Amino acid sequence: MNDIIRFFPDLTAQQIKQFEMLNDLYKDWNAKINVISRKDIDELYTKHVLHSLGIAKIVSFKPGTQIMDVGTGGGFPAIPLAILFPETHFYAIDVIAKKIKVVNEVATALGLQNLKAEQKRAETVTDSFDFIVSRAVTNMPDFVKWVKGKTKKKNEHMPFENGILYLKGGDLTEELKDFPKATLYHLSDHFDDPFYETKQVVHLPLKYKL
């Protein structure tokens, strides 16, 4: 939790309280429904919360921005980002119902009014969004197929283009070879924990119609 405050020093008292609540909420729900690996639950803030907030080091979402989190699992990156950007709208989806239950329960406990979570596949979503975020649910070619045509035409964050913001680690050369417009942002430039040495945010602009 200290790292959250250290790397995001402008948090309000309400946001600090919400971030602090995550520890007990996830430990309680993880005991009932396993959404975070047992070995990671004690490193919730480093490996899940701060990792999710890495996206905020790349782009600061404006009020009214609409974000879809695909394969949200237990609510990452959607819940930490929804705390950080209370005027941005988040739509979190996952195919596993019990994970969506956890997301909704945690969001309710935190009083998050800007997050909606549903059991759904990305391919069936008909709305459009400014950005589509995720934490390495699949390879980039397959992910692009899931979310094609779901980005808005109007861009509110220029010169940062609407599209995918993907949290992933390791060597992505092969995976991104067919996406020359992809830009990699290394989280080790922003966070000093060794966990982030190989972690990146991939930004891939998407046309609003493919």
Side-chain angles (χ1 to χ4, degrees):
M1 183 61 208
N2 290 337
D3 279 345
I4 306 299
I5 296 172
R6 179 161 65 99
F7 291 116
F8 295 91
D10 297 326
L11 296 173
T12 65
Q14 172 71 4
Q15 288 171 318
I16 291 172
K17 180 181 177 182
Q18 288 171 318
F19 279 122
E20 287 175 340
M21 289 173 66
L22 291 178
N23 184 57
D24 288 345
L25 283 169
Y26 276 105
K27 283 187 175 178
D28 180 47
W29 277 106
N30 215 51
K32 304 170 189 173
I33 300 172
N34 188 24
V35 293
I36 297 172
S37 70
R38 304 297 184 191
K39 62 183 176 64
D40 279 359
I41 193 66
D42 290 333
E43 296 183 85
L44 175 73
Y45 287 102
T46 298
K47 293 189 174 181
H48 295 278
V49 180
L50 192 60
H51 188 211
S52 297
L53 295 176
I55 288 174
K57 291 296 187 181
I58 310 308
V59 58
S60 182
F61 298 132
K62 295 181 179 179
T65 300
Q66 293 185 303
I67 312 290
M68 178 166 68
D69 178 7
V70 175
T72 191
F76 302 98
I79 284 178
L81 289 173
I83 294 173
L84 191 65
F85 298 106
E87 296 182 359
T88 293
H89 306 291
F90 292 86
Y91 179 51
I93 61 171
D94 201 285
V95 296
I96 301 175
K98 65 181 182 180
K99 291 184 177 180
I100 291 300
K101 176 178 174 59
V102 173
V103 176
N104 279 318
E105 293 287 351
V106 171
T108 298
L110 295 172
L112 293 178
Q113 301 294 316
N114 61 328
L115 187 150
K116 176 183 178 182
E118 290 185 325
Q119 181 189 13
K120 187 171 285 192
R121 292 187 178 277
E123 302 95 318
T124 66
V125 174
T126 57
D127 294 331
S128 58
F129 303 86
D130 297 280
F131 295 101
I132 298 162
V133 302
S134 190
R135 287 209 309 167
V137 293
T138 188
N139 62 75
M140 186 61 83
D142 285 343
F143 191 76
V144 170
K145 290 177 185 176
W146 292 357
V147 302
K148 65 181 180 180
K150 303 187 193 305
T151 47
K152 291 184 177 184
K153 179 180 179 180
K154 188 176 182 182
N155 195 326
E156 303 288 354
H157 294 77
M158 287 300 288
F160 204 88
E161 297 180 59
N162 291 354
I164 294 169
L165 290 164
Y166 209 54
L167 288 158
K168 199 161 190 182
D171 185 352
L172 303 179
T173 306
E174 181 67 21
E175 187 170 328
L176 297 177
K177 67 180 182 181
D178 294 327
F179 303 102
K181 290 188 176 181
T183 303
L184 273 62
Y185 298 89
H186 298 277
L187 290 181
S188 58
D189 292 339
H190 303 282
F191 305 139
D192 52 16
D193 191 282
F195 174 74
Y196 294 100
E197 287 178 2
T198 63
K199 297 294 187 289
Q200 298 151 98
V201 177
V202 181
H203 173 233
L204 178 62
L206 284 184
K207 294 179 181 178
Y208 70 100
K209 264 185 186 175
L210 294 178

